[in-house]
Amino acid sequence: MKRILSALLLLLAGAPLHAADPEKTPPPAAPTTQEQTLGNGLKVIVREDHRAPVAVTQVWYKVGSSYEPGGLTGTSHVLEHMMFKGTARLKPNEFSRIIADNGGEENAFTGSDYTAYFQTLAADRLEVCFRLEADRMRNLRLDPAEFAKELEVVKEERRLRTEDQPQSALYELFNATAYLAHPYRNPVIGWDDDLAHMTVADLKDWYQRWYQPSNATLVVVGDVDPARVFSLARRYFGGLPGGTVTPPKRQMEPPQRGERRVELKAPAEVPYLIMGYRAPSATADAADWEPYALEVLAGVLDGGESARLASQLRRGQEIAASAGAGYRSFQRAPGLFLLEGTPAQGHTVEELEQALRAQIRALGEKPVQADELERVKAQVVAAEVYQRDSVFYQAMRIGMLETIGLNWRVGDDYVRRIRAVTPDQVQQVALRYLGEDKLTVGVLRPQPGALPTRRPAPAGGRHDIGN
């Protein structure tokens, strides 16, 4: 994926595409995975992978920016920062120090559908993670002074990553145009005015509401014994009180009945284009094969140097300096099929837009040739095999699927579903979902003036924002 798409889709967007020989790509072996649910509602999932003496621990909470009502945007992300600022037992940042003293690494990220915390360390130090995570699940200390400092870190993070980055600023505006009602329209980091008026009381209410065992999934992948992991989970998490969590009311975007457009005029080096078509996800009201066909369609367009955008728009017509496509099949609500790019020197953003539209029309007019489709599917399968070498990626896939309302077994079935996609199915989803009445277009128009000053990353702002 290119620039902004790589940030939007993350590694959760389905496998990135790598070239591979379909005849030499073996199907991934089914790993050993077990699960239990504790009496307080905490779900524990353990996957054995004994290739290295390490383990990844991840705690996923079913809350993110799409849970936030107006006036409270950014709350999930700021609370994620505050989860490192002490409990009744630990001083600020002591959590991170203890993990480091045990030779491990830790961090966290917030997305539209989830907030997750993770550690990677030697498998024999697993108990350290459990003790610390169980403590902050219910015993977080939200100190007003620490909150005030960390809120300034987040505000600076917003200025650095969005306000000083014209392409990111365009995406924020584009997203708020593509979604009229669904909270996917809100930025994960929050709107500037909501951050300005956020209080520590807002975070306390958010923490008490959502940070419950019954609203969390504990995932462990690595060189572990499942029986011991479940025993440790019962020891450290089993005694936590289990409150009742009411899921957010389903909120769907109203039907789009015509193309939408938005422009951003700002000092920038080059123009930039982003296009998004309303598309289903694997959790939405769609045929179960459609998300996989859309993933393959994205690969046809942007699956490496031999894909259509690179071979036809960058090298063939030489109309694009860059062009990309991306789609997220796994999210809590329907999303967008995205295209983006920058026109080549001597060409306009309007010419690039028309060239991208022509690529979409071509996919609806004629089925993909069998050899092209097999190459793309082989790339997706190879990427999945490659990523399953990572215990961290395995845990990410499990936790994300469980948190958005699917089952971790969906991930194990991913390769089979991709291999089953047909040329006719790719054409069908192009015709059904990539029509102009479902399109939103965003354009960055460079303006004269000084470019934003590059600022250093804010101190303390080491946690990640997903989408």
Side-chain angles (χ1 to χ4, degrees), residues 177-376:
T177 305
Y179 296 101
L180 298 182
H182 196 277
Y184 278 173
R185 74 190 314 271
N186 295 320
V188 173
I189 201 168
W191 294 110
D192 185 63
D193 191 64
D194 288 350
L195 293 176
H197 292 90
M198 188 176 293
T199 68
V200 71
D202 294 330
L203 265 67
K204 288 179 179 178
D205 291 344
W206 205 248
Y207 175 74
Q208 292 297 330
R209 179 178 180 182
W210 298 110
Y211 278 57
Q212 304 276 358
S214 60
N215 200 48
T217 301
L218 170 62
V219 182
V220 178
V221 177
D223 187 23
V224 296
D225 171 33
R228 180 174 180 271
V229 175
F230 291 131
S231 176
L232 288 173
R234 288 190 293 271
R235 176 181 175 185
Y236 287 100
F237 292 92
L240 299 178
T244 301
V245 177
T246 302
K249 187 175 182 180
R250 174 181 163 120
Q251 185 175 6
M252 299 302 290
E253 183 72 11
Q256 183 172 339
R257 302 184 185 278
E259 182 180 308
R260 301 171 188 166
R261 301 188 70 88
V262 64
E263 287 193 1
L264 174 66
K265 296 180 179 180
E269 295 179 350
V270 292
Y272 178 69
L273 171 72
I274 185 166
M275 303 166 59
Y277 297 87
R278 293 272 296 275
S281 68
T283 60
D285 301 326
D288 60 2
W289 55 267
E290 290 182 331
Y292 301 94
L294 284 164
E295 284 208 25
V296 171
L297 191 156
V300 170
L301 292 172
D302 190 22
E305 287 301 300
S306 59
R308 295 186 181 188
L309 297 187
S311 63
Q312 297 181 26
L313 299 194
R314 280 204 291 114
R315 297 196 304 275
Q317 301 176 41
E318 297 185 342
I319 200 170
S322 68
Y327 165 74
R328 290 183 64 187
S329 55
F330 296 135
Q331 55 184 41
R332 198 164 61 93
L336 298 171
F337 185 98
L338 296 171
L339 299 166
E340 58 89 39
T342 298
Q345 189 172 3
H347 292 276
T348 67
V349 73
E350 285 77 17
E351 290 176 287
L352 177 58
E353 178 183 339
Q354 292 306 314
L356 289 170
R357 287 175 182 262
Q359 290 291 325
I360 296 299
R361 286 195 300 271
L363 286 165
E365 291 168 355
K366 184 178 180 181
V368 179
Q369 293 295 312
D371 58 345
E372 182 182 14
L373 185 65
E374 289 308 309
R375 173 184 57 78
V376 171

Side-chain angles (χ1 to χ4, degrees), residues 106-224:
E106 47 73 46
N107 213 319
F109 55 88
T110 305
S112 55
D113 296 328
Y114 37 71
T115 308
Y117 303 84
F118 59 87
Q119 301 86 41
T120 302
L121 74 179
D124 62 0
R125 303 299 176 93
L126 190 63
E127 189 170 358
V128 175
C129 299
F130 280 31
R131 172 169 53 84
L132 294 173
E133 286 288 12
D135 181 31
R136 68 177 175 182
M137 182 176 283
R138 298 303 299 148
N139 300 312
L140 187 65
R141 181 172 177 264
L142 289 165
D143 178 72
E146 290 291 335
F147 165 72
K149 289 190 295 185
E150 203 62 27
L151 184 60
E152 291 306 311
V153 170
V154 173
K155 290 178 181 178
E156 180 62 17
E157 185 180 350
R158 176 179 168 80
R159 287 189 287 269
L160 178 70
R161 295 186 176 183
T162 301
E163 295 165 15
D164 288 357
Q165 301 292 330
Q167 291 184 5
S168 297
L170 173 65
Y171 176 73
E172 185 175 88
L173 185 61
F174 162 86
N175 213 43
T177 305
Y179 296 101
L180 298 182
H182 196 277
Y184 278 173
R185 74 190 314 271
N186 295 320
V188 173
I189 201 168
W191 294 110
D192 185 63
D193 191 64
D194 288 350
L195 293 176
H197 292 90
M198 188 176 293
T199 68
V200 71
D202 294 330
L203 265 67
K204 288 179 179 178
D205 291 344
W206 205 248
Y207 175 74
Q208 292 297 330
R209 179 178 180 182
W210 298 110
Y211 278 57
Q212 304 276 358
S214 60
N215 200 48
T217 301
L218 170 62
V219 182
V220 178
V221 177
D223 187 23
V224 296

